[in-house]
Amino acid sequence: MNYPLSLQTLIDELGRLPGIGPKSAQRLALWMTRQPDDDIRRLAEALLAMRTNLSFCPECCNISEHDGLCPVCSDHRRDRSIICVVEESRDVSAIERSGAYSGLYHVLQGLINPLEGITPERIKTRELLTRLHDESIKEVILSLSPTVEGDATMLYLSRLLAPTGLRVTQVATGLPVGGDIEFADVQTLGRAIDLRRVVSEGTA
């Protein structure tokens, strides 16, 4: 079926979203045509506000608002001697729900994946190294999903961090191989953090 241009454009744009295939995009777009104008207007305004107001935290690269520090970095009660390295902001939320961690984070904004052209230079590794000049930091926890890309990034970071003299640890087994941290239940994730294993022992 040939849809009107405006509807087909919406279907095409929705189809670009991760996890949304052509049929799902078509279903969403047709659903939107039946919604009240006010609901569609609120959705459009929320998207524009998100684009206008959100940025990345200048310290940890997590999502923040109005070019300021994220809630974790601005919380002076956090243990500032530990940095937990994760792939995406959603992993921060997953770990926070576990209640097992009270330190800081560093969000890489991706994982090394040569097949998709994602090299170490395209994720936030330089920013991480810059943060490690702070002498108050004693440990770096590598908390990446146990996927091929996560393992490759873990190995790269382990070698990159070894000369820093910091204690480098990795979350314990218990997370399903090939799974994502964001989908782990809070008990499993909390235990994986508590039982993290040493990758390299710091001398600093």
Side-chain angles (χ1 to χ4, degrees), residues 170-184:
Q170 176 183 344
V171 291
T173 56
L175 297 176
V177 174
D180 288 326
I181 282 177
E182 65 169 319
F183 298 125

Side-chain angles (χ1 to χ4, degrees), residues 50 53-58 60-73 88-90 92-93 107 109:
M50 177 272 296
N53 298 330
L54 294 187
S55 59
F56 292 107
C57 176
C60 73
C61 304
N62 192 11
I63 293 173
S64 64
E65 199 157 14
H66 301 300
D67 297 318
L69 294 175
C70 72
V72 173
C73 287
E88 298 282 0
S89 297
R90 62 178 182 264
V92 173
S93 297
V107 181
Q109 299 295 342

